[in-house]
Amino acid sequence: MVEHISLLSRRAFLAAAGIGLWSLPARAGAERQPRVVSLDYGLASTLLSLGLTPVGIAGVADWGKWVVEPPLPPEVADVGDAVMVNLEALTALSPTLILSTPYLDGLTPVLEKIAPVLRLSVYDASGGAVLPKAEEATRVLGDHLGRRAEADAFLLGADRHFQRCRDTVRAAGAPSVALISFLDARHARVYTAPGLFDDTLARIGMRNAWPRPGQYWGFETISIEALAEIDAPDAHLIAFEPLPREVLPTLRQSPIWTSLSFVRDGRFAVLPETLMFGMVNEAMRFAGQMADYVGRV
């Protein structure tokens, strides 16, 4: 109990000092820490927020393109693409635990020959709200690693972050928003319910303007023409980087694009990249982006 109170007090101090929004400091005695490899970005960023740096992850090169925050420590090794893991590189790291997801179940028999596998499910066919499942996966991960106090402190900090965003949204009188990633100048992913973005909008008091649900990953692939189905009169359209280079120049010449009300009336914006298939850290980054946006418009 004494240790638990001490950890929370330290977390409260760091929060008050504006330090460590995304992660707790790593524990001393790194040589005694588990050697964890994560094949999922959301689980890897959660590890960092529990004060544990993974020895390896899948897709190091694209961390700055999709996850961004928290920053990935330079010592983290790359084990290749998540669905085509470099087994030689993975074995060389001598992991004591590999983090995986249902999406990678086909790899499990091979991975289990290298190290025990912890499979945590956030996106799966069972459906349901994603953000609560991400919060529960964080607690399970904390329990498994003996870091439940760190997990609880991290989730408490996340709740406070969401509340601050909600206060900003309420003060701004936020509009409804439709959220997309362009695939090319004719197609986009629109983010739907259920999904991490949709859940986070609800958590901070905003409404998703897209009118129908999608699959359990939280998106639907649509044509640009389908954006006309957004009928909320005050809706804003938000696109996330990265954008294919040709998209905006092509769309500026498109009668369909320029006739959309949110484009015609200046209610379209492009925001920095945020991982749409992440966990709590990614929800926090997205919530902050939304609060900042509505505070400016």
Side-chain angles (χ1 to χ4, degrees):
M1 178 60 76
V2 172
E3 181 184 5
H4 179 69
I5 292 171
S6 175
L7 284 167
L8 290 179
S9 299
R10 182 178 62 163
R11 181 67 172 176
F13 169 79
L14 293 172
I19 301 170
L21 175 63
W22 305 102
S23 63
L24 291 166
R27 287 176 175 174
E31 70 280 1
R32 295 190 298 273
Q33 293 183 356
R35 295 179 59 81
V36 184
V37 170
S38 176
L39 303 183
D40 176 83
Y41 281 150
L43 291 170
S45 74
T46 303
L47 271 181
L48 292 170
S49 292
L50 302 188
L52 181 62
T53 299
V55 294
I57 70 166
V60 164
D62 285 339
W63 182 275
K65 179 180 178 181
W66 294 110
V67 185
V68 184
E69 297 174 293
L72 189 67
E75 66 268 27
V76 179
D78 192 359
V79 296
D81 185 89
V83 297
M84 296 181 67
V85 176
N86 183 328
L87 297 178
E88 184 176 347
L90 177 61
T91 303
L93 291 172
S94 301
T96 57
L97 181 67
I98 300 171
L99 301 181
S100 186
T101 70
Y103 180 66
L104 302 172
D105 276 350
L107 294 174
T108 301
V110 175
L111 300 175
E112 286 179 333
K113 295 178 180 177
I114 299 172
V117 175
L118 177 61
R119 174 184 181 272
L120 292 169
S121 180
V122 175
Y123 299 87
D124 58 45
S126 65
V130 170
L131 185 52
K133 292 166 77 172
E135 292 167 329
E136 179 57 23
T138 299
R139 296 185 187 95
V140 172
L141 183 59
D143 286 339
H144 194 89
L145 296 171
R147 291 175 180 248
R148 180 56 184 260
E150 285 89 339
D152 288 342
F154 167 59
L155 293 174
L156 179 61
D159 283 342
R160 290 171 175 163
H161 177 73
F162 291 137
Q163 184 58 54
R164 288 193 294 272
C165 293
R166 188 179 182 89
D167 292 344
T168 299
V169 165
R170 183 186 298 115
S176 57
V177 291
L179 307 162
I180 63 171
S181 293
F182 284 110
L183 301 178
D184 56 38
R186 298 181 60 187
H187 303 91
R189 284 179 179 169
V190 62
Y191 296 104
T192 66
L196 187 68
F197 284 177
D198 186 82
D199 289 345
T200 307
L201 285 177
R203 187 72 65 94
I204 65 173
M206 294 184 68
R207 190 172 72 83
N208 191 341
W210 184 247
R212 58 177 181 271
Q215 33 88 324
Y216 64 80
W217 284 100
F219 73 89
E220 179 182 355
T221 300
I222 61 169
S223 64
I224 296 301
E225 291 91 330
L227 291 171
E229 297 177 34
I230 300 169
D231 58 3
D234 66 340
H236 288 226
L237 180 67
I238 307 293
F240 291 94
E241 295 178 346
L243 274 66
R245 183 178 302 176
E246 78 285 359
V247 164
L248 292 183
T250 302
L251 288 176
R252 291 189 189 104
Q253 306 302 316
S254 165
I256 294 172
W257 173 255
T258 55
S259 68
L260 295 170
S261 63
F262 30 77
V263 176
R264 189 179 60 240
D265 299 339
R267 289 179 277 115
F268 167 67
V270 178
L271 297 185
E273 53 277 282
T274 292
L275 183 63
M276 60 292 295
F277 309 128
M279 292 178 56
V280 177
N281 271 320
E282 291 67 42
M284 292 170 66
R285 175 171 167 83
F286 170 69
Q289 288 181 325
M290 288 296 100
D292 180 65
Y293 176 75
V294 302
R296 290 188 280 110
V297 298

